[in-house]
Amino acid sequence: MPPDSAVTASTATSAAVPAETSVPGAAPLAALGVEQAEAALVEHYTRLVRLAYLVLPPSLGRNRRVLTAHALVQRSLPRGRTAARSAIPAQSRAAGTDGGTGAGTGGGTNGGTDGGTATGAGRNPGYAYVRERVLRQALDAGRPLRRLARPRLAQLPPPLPRVWGLRLFPRSGGADELALDQRLSGLSGPARAAFALRGLELLTDKEVRRLLHAAGAVDTETALAEAADAAERRIGTADPVELLRSPEFDPCSLQARPTDLMRRRQYGRAALAAAAALLVCGTLLGLPGGWGPDDDADSPYGHNAAVAAALDPARVRRIAPAAWQTSARTDFSVWPARGPLAEDHALLRRALTAWAAPGVSVHISATPATPSGPPMGSPQLLYAGTVDAARVVLFHDGLRVVRYAEPATGGEEVAALDFARVDGAGTAVAGALVVGRSDGDVRYLTAPWVRSASVRDLLDPAEPARPLRRDADGVTDPLASPAMAQDCRSWDTLSVRDGSDGDDSSDSSDSSDSENGATERLLTDLGELTPARLTSGPPSAPGDVTSPADRAAWARTACLLPAMRSHGVRSVNSWPYARQPLPESNGTATWLCTRADTWRGTGSRVLAQFQAPARTAAPGAVAARAEDTPACGARGSRVLAGVLWKSRGGTWYVLAAGSGRLGSVQVSGGVRGSAPGSLLAVRAREGVQAELYGETPDGTRVDALR
């Protein structure tokens, strides 16, 4: 995008900012009552929780950070009826309206100013006292636990608030918010506190230094220097301080997702079974003579022939190396058994036993809606070998791919099991599996029909593919994993070429980039066992990313892929559904709809993108996003989205574009206008809020993506 134009792609909400007229360094103040502190806590609860959330260590995870932030604020009242006032002012500078402009039109243009001037905390010593208590506890939570030392209350999981059966986390932001979150995770606790106090509380460096000292921080000068450096380096075109006020960092505006439902159900059944067993044992113990001797208790699986067979390494199914060449289908079911440890029965038995009855030392992970139960009969062996510092076994049971990993040098009591759904796989998505990750790199096991493998950086469309070596079993050399990266400076994908002709109906829409008759496909690691296939084109016929135009569009889309991580994604298609000439001769913009489809069928994620002309491969602006929608898919290719855009001349416009043949596009609310066809450009004011919709030629209403 030209430097003097701007696109805002997310709603900017700002917390209320108080004014302060007290003089730093004033004489000690008198005691304040607990009622005054409680009133300040209730009035400014949202700001205090946001401050605690930003200071808490990111290693806690978003769910625990949210609950801990609320817990720290709620237990920050004085223990007695009175408490000494804080010597640190609530804020030393008056703040005006602190808002932002937003653009994602999820049914309209969600921009506008959402803020104001709060004067309630300005002369309120109760707020200053509670803020200091919150800051002290948040910094304590980030300090490491010491051996033989009594842990501080803030370092323990909070007893209240408590949420059962749900995981809570703030609403996801865009690529800028993700980059800021990664930047803050690299700062120390006092540095994050200084960054938040300067950006949200508008304190001077002198006041921040005094407040950090009061909260127990030691090296305040280093913390201020780190915070200043983080605030000065812009993230794209965004100001890091303004991004602090986005919903990404608001632990009071939350999304909820269920915990592991299958495991929770298993725990419930196990609890019922344990209660029944205790009842039976208690009854038998009360009988004269107790119970009789056990006649057959050698094995918990002795009475189940199917389970016993599934645990027998000698009965594991092994596919012939050339079976895929004559098979009617080319998916994981025709992968041969490979790897130097494929005949290690002791390793296979440990893997099968851990799968059938995992102990407490076995770490289990599964993609959404993937059952993690025991195998349904003897599974198929895909691979067994040593990858980096682990012994790895890959199985396939028709529905799932399962990876077992244990340390290569002893430590067999510690292991990991990963599950991923692969039902309905075809040639296009069965080209590789993740066989190992270490030190930010990933290794793949490629399909037997893959002729060659290489690496393509999505962010550099002009760079040719780099060769990638594979061993005799099809395991690749390590390449950088974008799923494990802390930034988006590159996005390496696995490019595979194969000459297989067969494919099932679910992957019949392949375009080929022929090199000796081979088809090139791009696969990317999104943090799961199965890499996601990347495609371009209309939903009715998506094709592989082979043309220069497709690669250029993906170069500005790749940094939005983190929104699809660990979601059970099967494929991601990016569809340029419209091109729009911009007002005032500012060039031509491209509208894209990026859709991630999952292995389970539900839970699809859709992003509508606005890509204005740019000299570099800057990420596109997210105009709208939705989940569990048919939009931009084979069953519903219609999409409509809009943004609030600023021209090089400084004029603001509402821009909108729809796919297919629309009779008109209309905008109402803060700005009104309409245009025939599927494109709209209407003059507007900065921060305007509006509703967007379209109509087909027969009068059917088309709502904007939301």
Side-chain angles (χ1 to χ4, degrees):
M1 184 183 305
D4 50 355
S5 64
V7 179
T8 56
S10 61
T11 305
T13 59
S14 60
V17 181
E20 173 62 58
T21 58
S22 62
V23 179
L29 301 175
L32 60 91
V34 68
E35 293 83 2
Q36 188 175 0
E38 182 180 10
L41 186 150
V42 172
E43 181 180 359
H44 304 290
Y45 183 79
T46 302
R47 293 178 52 215
L48 291 167
V49 175
R50 186 189 289 256
L51 176 63
Y53 180 82
L54 290 169
V55 178
L56 284 170
S59 59
L60 295 178
R62 292 199 295 172
N63 180 68
R64 184 172 167 186
R65 280 174 70 193
V66 166
L67 297 179
T68 303
H70 284 271
L72 297 186
V73 175
Q74 292 175 16
R75 62 187 183 213
S76 294
L77 292 177
R79 295 186 180 276
R81 300 301 300 171
T82 62
R85 292 190 183 186
S86 171
I88 310 299
Q91 187 167 332
S92 63
R93 288 179 285 169
T97 302
D98 189 6
T101 57
T105 330
T109 305
N110 288 329
T113 302
D114 185 12
T117 303
T119 59
R123 300 182 177 88
N124 189 348
Y127 174 76
Y129 172 82
V130 174
R131 182 181 62 189
E132 181 183 319
R133 288 286 302 270
V134 169
L135 189 61
R136 177 182 294 274
Q137 294 180 87
L139 291 175
D140 286 345
R143 296 188 174 98
L145 288 169
R146 297 182 179 177
R147 250 181 121 179
L148 303 179
R150 181 180 178 184
R152 306 188 184 207
L153 183 61
Q155 294 174 299
L156 302 175
L160 290 174
R162 206 71 179 162
V163 178
W164 297 93
L166 288 175
R167 296 185 61 81
L168 303 177
F169 48 90
R171 297 183 177 275
S172 299
D176 293 343
E177 286 83 355
L178 176 63
L180 177 60
D181 188 46
Q182 293 171 344
R183 181 179 296 179
L184 292 178
S185 66
L187 301 180
S188 63
R192 289 193 299 273
F195 187 86
L197 291 172
R198 294 177 63 189
L200 295 179
E201 299 291 305
L202 301 183
L203 298 183
T204 64
D205 286 353
K206 180 179 179 181
E207 294 159 354
V208 171
R209 189 180 298 108
R210 294 172 60 197
L211 183 52
L212 289 179
H213 273 304
V218 179
D219 192 356
T220 57
E221 294 299 332
T222 301
L224 280 168
E226 292 180 18
D229 178 68
E232 290 172 359
R233 291 184 290 117
R234 300 183 70 84
I235 300 175
T237 60
D239 182 358
V241 175
E242 291 300 322
L243 292 176
L244 280 180
R245 301 184 176 96
S246 71
E248 174 85 9
F249 305 104
D250 184 5
C252 291
S253 178
L254 301 172
Q255 289 181 316
R257 292 291 184 272
T259 55
D260 191 333
L261 300 179
M262 295 299 297
R263 190 179 300 180
R264 194 168 73 192
R265 184 178 299 175
Q266 290 174 357
Y267 287 163
R269 292 174 178 173
L272 289 176
L278 286 174
L279 180 62
V280 172
C281 291
T283 304
L284 292 176
L285 285 174
L287 295 176
W291 61 73
D294 188 2
D295 56 352
D296 188 8
D298 293 338
S299 170
Y301 307 106
H303 299 289
N304 192 323
V307 176
L311 295 178
D312 186 356
R315 299 192 183 186
V316 168
R317 291 186 295 113
R318 300 168 185 264
I319 306 301
W324 66 272
Q325 298 177 1
T326 57
S327 173
R329 51 192 295 182
T330 48
D331 56 14
F332 297 109
S333 67
V334 294
W335 277 33
R338 291 175 284 177
L341 300 181
E343 300 299 331
D344 187 340
H345 283 206
L347 172 63
L348 298 183
R349 185 178 297 278
R350 290 195 299 272
L352 291 169
T353 302
W355 184 0
V360 294
S361 62
V362 178
H363 175 72
I364 299 176
S365 68
T367 56
T370 301
S372 58
M376 301 172 289
S378 299
Q380 172 191 351
L381 176 64
L382 302 181
Y383 178 83
T386 301
V387 180
D388 296 325
R391 286 187 289 263
V392 175
V393 182
L394 284 173
F395 293 113
H396 176 242
D397 69 351
L399 172 68
R400 303 164 293 177
V401 166
V402 182
R403 181 180 60 189
Y404 169 84
E406 66 180 27
T409 56
E412 297 169 358
E413 69 279 359
V414 179
L417 274 176
D418 301 311
F419 295 83
R421 283 185 65 164
V422 292
D423 48 317
T427 307
V429 291
L433 289 173
V434 172
V435 72
R437 289 190 181 89
S438 64
D439 300 327
D441 294 332
V442 61
R443 291 180 186 263
Y444 295 98
L445 175 67
T446 55
W449 52 81
V450 170
R451 295 183 180 180
S452 64
S454 56
V455 181
R456 281 196 184 274
D457 183 359
L458 282 184
L459 299 189
D460 192 351
E463 179 187 8
R466 309 189 303 271
L468 182 64
R469 194 187 70 85
R470 298 182 297 156
D471 64 16
D473 294 313
V475 176
T476 68
D477 281 354
L479 64 150
S481 169
M484 302 174 67
Q486 299 297 319
D487 50 33
C488 193
R489 298 179 182 177
S490 65
W491 195 283
D492 285 349
T493 60
L494 175 67
S495 172
V496 296
R497 293 180 181 272
D498 63 79
S500 60
D501 297 326
D503 204 352
D504 60 14
S505 58
S506 62
D507 294 295
S508 59
S509 54
D510 295 334
S511 71
S512 61
D513 179 16
S514 295
E515 182 181 285
N516 297 326
T519 300
E520 180 186 15
R521 298 188 178 93
L522 292 186
L523 305 172
T524 187
D525 180 23
L526 292 180
E528 298 170 329
L529 270 178
T530 53
R533 180 194 178 198
L534 302 182
T535 59
S536 293
S540 58
D544 290 295
V545 185
T546 55
S547 70
D550 291 341
R551 289 172 181 159
W554 264 110
R556 303 184 63 183
T557 303
C559 289
L560 302 179
L561 285 175
M564 320 294 187
R565 284 176 180 165
S566 303
H567 194 59
V569 174
R570 173 191 179 106
S571 62
V572 184
N573 183 59
S574 192
W575 169 37
Y577 69 86
R579 289 176 59 82
Q580 182 176 25
L582 297 176
E584 303 179 16
S585 301
N586 277 212
T588 301
T590 302
W591 292 84
L592 295 97
C593 191
T594 304
R595 178 184 176 90
D597 286 316
T598 65
W599 287 95
R600 62 190 182 275
T602 59
S604 60
R605 289 183 175 177
V606 177
L607 301 177
Q609 262 188 89
F610 175 79
Q611 292 186 356
R615 301 186 185 95
T616 60
V622 177
R625 64 184 71 216
E627 191 165 337
D628 269 331
T629 174
C632 304
R635 298 181 59 185
S637 60
R638 188 172 292 161
V639 62
L640 174 64
V643 294
L644 188 62
W645 174 81
K646 183 180 180 181
S647 70
R648 290 195 296 263
T651 305
W652 288 89
Y653 291 87
V654 171
L655 304 180
S659 64
R661 296 182 177 178
L662 291 179
S664 64
V665 179
Q666 303 181 41
V667 62
S668 60
V671 59
R672 293 182 176 273
S674 64
S678 57
L679 300 176
L680 172 78
V682 178
R683 284 179 179 265
R685 302 183 310 277
E686 180 180 359
V688 72
Q689 294 184 349
E691 290 292 324
L692 180 68
Y693 63 94
E695 288 185 354
T696 61
D698 62 3
T700 303
R701 180 185 173 103
V702 178
D703 290 321
L705 183 69
R706 66 181 70 193

